[in-house]
Amino acid sequence: QVQLVESGGGLVQPGGSLRLSCVASGSISSINAMGWYRQAPGSQRELVAAITSGGTTNYAGSVKGRFTISRDNVKNSVFLQMNSLKPEDTAVYHCNADLFPSRSMYQYRYWGQGTQVTVSS
C-alpha cells in the first residue's frame, strides 16, 4: 500500500535547474531517512543525497554545492533541488524512503519508480 511517487524529471540544458519531488503515501507509521539515488548508463547506482527525519543531510561529492535535498515530514515528501546541472548529472533518479508501515515493527526501504533527468544542449 505504501507508494512513492516522483515528479519533476525532464530535459534541461547545462547550467539549468530542476526540482524533483517525491511523495510517500499509504499506511505509514513513520519515515526515517529519505533520499535520492541515480544511475547513469554504464555506471553503478549511487547515492545523490539523503536526509534524516531530523534534517541531517548527506551529499555525493559531485553534487555538493549544486543540489539541495529537503523534506516535509508532514507531507511525507522529499525534494531535490538541482542547480547548475551538468551533462554528467544525466541519469535515472530514484527516491527512496526508509519507513515503518503502519502496524509494522519492521522498517522497509521503498523506492520510487524513477524519473529520467537528461542534461543536454
Side-chain angles (χ1 to χ4, degrees), residues 50-58 69 71 73:
I51 184 168
T52 69
S53 60
T56 301
T57 59
N58 187 29
I69 189 170
R71 64 187 287 172
N73 290 333

Side-chain angles (χ1 to χ4, degrees), residues 31-38 46-61 63-64 67-73 77-81 93-98 109 111:
I31 301 178
N32 294 319
M34 303 185 79
W36 292 92
Y37 290 74
R38 70 185 182 188
E46 65 172 341
L47 173 68
V48 178
I51 184 168
T52 69
S53 60
T56 301
T57 59
N58 187 29
Y59 295 93
V63 307
K64 284 184 178 179
F67 291 11
T68 302
I69 189 170
S70 60
R71 64 187 287 172
D72 185 329
N73 290 333
S77 301
V78 63
F79 310 93
L80 186 66
Q81 178 66 47
Y93 285 70
H94 295 264
C95 71
N96 85 281
D98 297 330
R109 171 163 285 190
W111 294 90

Side-chain angles (χ1 to χ4, degrees), residues 8 13 19 21 51 56-57 62 68 73 76 82 86 88 93 101-102 118 120-121:
Q13 297 185 69
R19 187 171 192 253
S21 300
I51 184 168
T56 301
T57 59
S62 60
T68 302
N73 290 333
N76 290 337
M82 304 183 293
K86 305 175 181 179
E88 307 93 272
Y93 285 70
S102 294
T118 302
S120 176
S121 298

Side-chain angles (χ1 to χ4, degrees), residues 13-18 65-67 82-87 89 119:
Q13 297 185 69
S17 297
L18 208 59
R66 299 188 297 119
F67 291 11
M82 304 183 293
N83 298 325
S84 302
L85 283 162
K86 305 175 181 179
D89 296 317
V119 185

